[in-house]
Amino acid sequence: MATALITGASAGLGLEFAWQLAAAQHDLVLVARDTERLERLANHLRAAAGIAVEVLPADLADRAQTERVAERLRTLDNPVSLLVNNAGYAVDEPFLGGDLAKQEASLDVMVRAVMVLSHAAAEQMVVRERGAILNVSSIAALTASGTYSANKAWVRAFTEGLAVELRGSGVTATALCPGLVRTEFHERAGLDYSNLPGVVWLNAADVASAALADVRRGVVISTPSLRYRAASGLLRVLPRSAVRAIQGSGSVSGAPRSR
């Protein structure tokens, strides 16, 4: 039975990935900061799907704790066949005048941890000539919404480069680039998008399902929903000066901090 490791597994898209992979009879390694919430989820998954579930509490802003997760990924004893780098959050304050420590922590979680864990997973997967890495980016990677966009742009570009390096190895890398998804992500970040129309929102189950289907097909950039694929295409062809101007006007629905 294949084993998947999911970061940020206790909520949002991570939680949805956990349930869908459990339903597909994957054993799981669940990573998040909240031990109690992880244990409760693990018990539910074991009871519902009859799978093995490991709980690995870790704050990925902490390098020592990230290394513990990396060590689990490096092992060839009960190896991880699918890594889902999902952990992430938005810092709801401007870069200038804000708390730099918060920005550094978000960089550690969404950039450094993705790099370290992808490296650990890819090395053992290449040895076995099988495996997949799914890194959660965002359509915000194509916008200009501060450090969140910068972090997600790094994830997208990094994953594309990793996919090139892994070509022919039997291992794949996919960057998931969703738009706005109905989860607790925005509420936890203190972001109020209640004025946005319902059409801009995606269902978490649909996003996770589309992403896992793309992983199975070896797709490198996964953008669930036709409307966000169209928006992504537009953002790629627009002059960057126009993207910055639109971002400044706040007229791009869902462009800031979307996932």
Side-chain angles (χ1 to χ4, degrees):
M1 186 178 292
T3 298
L5 185 148
I6 307 166
T7 70
S10 63
L13 275 178
L15 179 62
E16 188 60 45
F17 279 123
W19 277 106
Q20 291 196 19
L21 288 166
Q25 290 297 289
H26 282 69
D27 288 338
L28 298 175
V29 182
L30 305 178
V31 178
R33 292 178 297 176
D34 190 331
T35 304
E36 182 179 346
R37 197 168 181 177
L38 281 182
E39 292 285 4
R40 187 164 58 248
L41 172 60
N43 287 333
H44 290 162
L45 291 166
R46 293 182 190 114
I51 59 168
V53 184
E54 299 174 45
V55 169
L56 184 51
D59 181 352
L60 299 180
D62 181 284
R63 296 194 174 200
Q65 294 184 53
T66 300
E67 183 58 25
R68 284 197 294 107
V69 181
E71 283 300 317
R72 175 62 183 86
L73 287 164
R74 292 187 188 107
T75 183
L76 293 174
D77 180 22
N78 187 18
V80 169
S81 297
L82 171 63
L83 166 63
V84 182
N85 272 315
N86 166 76
Y89 60 94
V91 178
D92 187 28
E93 60 183 36
F95 178 67
L96 297 179
D99 184 343
L100 184 58
K102 290 182 180 179
Q103 300 289 353
E104 290 179 304
S106 71
L107 183 77
D108 281 336
V109 171
M110 291 186 283
V111 173
R112 185 183 181 280
V114 169
M115 178 172 62
V116 170
L117 300 185
S118 294
H119 185 270
E123 286 202 323
Q124 63 87 359
M125 290 174 182
V126 167
V127 169
R128 297 186 301 115
E129 299 183 332
R130 62 186 296 264
I133 296 169
L134 175 60
N135 293 330
V136 178
S137 178
S138 170
I139 196 173
L142 301 173
T143 70
S145 56
T147 55
Y148 185 79
S149 283
N151 293 338
K152 291 304 185 180
W154 185 91
V155 171
R156 180 183 171 119
F158 166 74
T159 306
E160 286 190 279
L162 180 59
V164 171
E165 190 168 345
L166 290 171
R167 192 175 294 155
S169 69
V171 183
T172 63
T174 299
L176 172 61
C177 300
L180 288 165
V181 185
R182 288 198 185 278
T183 68
E184 58 189 82
F185 173 83
H186 302 96
E187 181 182 349
R188 293 175 81 176
L191 301 170
D192 183 9
Y193 289 171
S194 59
N195 61 324
L196 295 177
V199 70
V200 306
W201 293 96
L202 300 176
N203 178 274
D206 293 340
V207 171
S209 177
L212 293 174
D214 282 343
V215 168
R216 288 191 292 272
R217 291 195 296 268
V219 173
V220 177
I221 301 294
S222 173
T223 306
S225 93
L226 180 60
R227 58 187 177 276
Y228 277 111
R229 286 195 291 274
S232 177
L234 177 62
L235 287 166
R236 287 199 305 271
V237 300
L238 279 175
R240 294 305 296 174
S241 59
V243 173
R244 293 191 296 272
I246 294 171
Q247 188 71 57
S249 71
S251 60
V252 177
S253 293
R257 305 178 182 92
S258 52
R259 61 174 295 185

